Amino acid sequence: MTRRRMTLGRLQGLAQDLSQRDLDIIATLARVRVATFRQLERLHFAGHPPDSAARLCRRTLARLVEERQVLARLDRRIGGVRAGSEGFVYALDTAGQRLAGARGPAGGPRPRRPWTPSVRFIDHVLAVSEIYTCLRELDRGPGVDLIQFQAEPAAWRRFLGPGGGVAVLKPDAYVVLGLGDYEHHYFIEVDRATESPAAVGRQLTAYRHYWATGTEQGRIGLFPIVVIAVPDARRHQAITEVAARQPAETWSIFRVVIAEGLVDLVTGDSS
């Protein structure tokens, strides 16, 4: 497919031609960076019967890729080639990035063609996208209000470290949920058992140092619970031991949970 140059005039015309659903899909990918076909279907086509939702999602995404150059399909599928179009992973193409930037804060990075990162990176980021998708699905019903969801890099926090230099805390996500009359705040760490326990320990120490600054407490009146989602019981034991090596005064800010139970934890037992 020959790519057309995206002039300002063409971009403005494109913005006028896009539907609200198209714009919502752009906003989702600007938030989470990458998402699967199924995640986008669940997020933006849930009001249709399953068969028609899949068809409509397939046509919409194809149009945004092939005709509009708003989205890009990455060169890696979930489930391999046999998964067909439903195995595609999507990111914003340059036009989509420019449209997202026009609706968001100025001064963002210059748009560039998406590239296909490593399997490890895709696996990790899609896990964050799945958390967002699940929370958005719960937000449609009673009892759970998804007030804020920031993925990387929006979730990052800069602060003065113990040595006086600028440090950066890099949560995978920052989540604010309304549950009943209360707001609950979380930093989310998606652990895929690819990092050593020592590396995880250093990340938890960064949270402790940020907690000690009081910055977040001054901003929102509390420090978010740090939820570390792990893949299995063995990793749960290992990371629980890592968290227990932190000073006792910060034990209460850490929770380790097997990934399947993360949504239940943040929407249920928030103590």
Side-chain angles (χ1 to χ4, degrees):
M1 180 182 68
T2 302
R3 293 177 61 87
R4 297 169 56 193
R5 183 169 177 268
M6 185 58 64
T7 63
L8 179 60
R10 182 168 174 247
L11 188 72
Q12 292 172 337
L14 175 59
Q16 294 175 353
D17 290 342
L18 295 177
S19 69
Q20 185 58 53
R21 177 183 281 146
D22 296 338
L23 295 173
D24 290 343
I25 291 170
I26 292 171
T28 290
L29 289 170
R31 184 187 304 273
V32 299
R33 295 184 289 175
V34 297
T36 66
F37 174 95
R38 284 298 186 192
Q39 288 168 345
L40 293 172
E41 180 188 353
R42 288 159 56 196
L43 286 167
H44 300 291
F45 300 86
H48 300 270
D51 288 346
S52 58
R55 287 195 299 271
L56 182 57
C57 182
R58 193 176 299 112
R59 289 199 300 268
T60 300
L61 297 181
R63 171 174 53 82
L64 292 175
V65 171
E66 296 163 7
E67 298 178 19
R68 302 298 191 180
Q69 297 176 17
V70 169
L71 306 185
R73 297 188 190 105
L74 303 187
D75 295 331
R76 182 167 290 115
R77 301 190 193 195
I78 303 302
V81 175
R82 291 185 179 182
S85 61
E86 296 180 4
F88 284 127
V89 176
Y90 293 86
L92 290 180
D93 205 338
T94 50
Q97 293 169 43
R98 291 180 67 183
L99 288 166
R103 297 166 65 85
R110 181 178 180 179
R112 63 176 185 174
R113 289 291 308 279
W115 53 279
T116 301
S118 67
V119 172
R120 175 175 166 179
F121 180 89
I122 287 288
D123 179 61
H124 185 271
V125 179
L126 287 178
V128 177
S129 300
E130 182 62 18
I131 294 169
Y132 176 66
T133 302
C134 290
L135 292 175
R136 277 283 306 278
E137 288 174 324
L138 289 174
D139 180 68
R140 296 181 188 131
V144 177
D145 181 14
L146 180 56
I147 298 171
Q148 190 172 5
F149 188 102
Q150 295 178 331
E152 295 187 273
W156 293 358
R157 303 290 195 267
R158 286 175 170 78
F159 65 100
L160 289 180
V166 176
V168 183
L169 180 71
K170 297 183 178 181
D172 292 318
Y174 169 68
V175 177
V176 183
L177 295 175
L179 303 173
D181 295 330
Y182 298 94
E183 287 187 4
H184 299 267
H185 298 246
Y186 301 94
F187 288 126
I188 306 294
E189 288 287 329
V190 174
D191 177 89
R192 307 297 285 180
T194 56
E195 301 286 346
S196 69
V200 176
R202 288 191 292 273
Q203 179 71 346
L204 300 191
T205 297
Y207 278 107
R208 174 165 57 84
H209 288 161
Y210 183 53
W211 167 83
T213 69
T215 302
E216 202 76 10
Q217 298 92 314
R219 187 176 71 87
I220 61 175
L222 53 83
F223 193 82
I225 296 296
V226 181
V227 181
I228 306 105
V230 300
D232 53 40
R234 181 177 180 180
R235 186 68 170 179
H236 184 279
Q237 178 64 32
I239 300 307
T240 299
E241 292 174 359
V242 170
R245 296 186 194 118
Q246 293 294 319
E249 63 266 24
T250 56
W251 286 351
S252 62
I253 71 172
F254 298 115
R255 302 284 191 280
V256 185
V257 62
I258 295 176
E260 287 80 359
L262 181 144
V263 171
D264 288 339
L265 173 67
V266 299
T267 60
D269 179 13
S270 301
S271 60

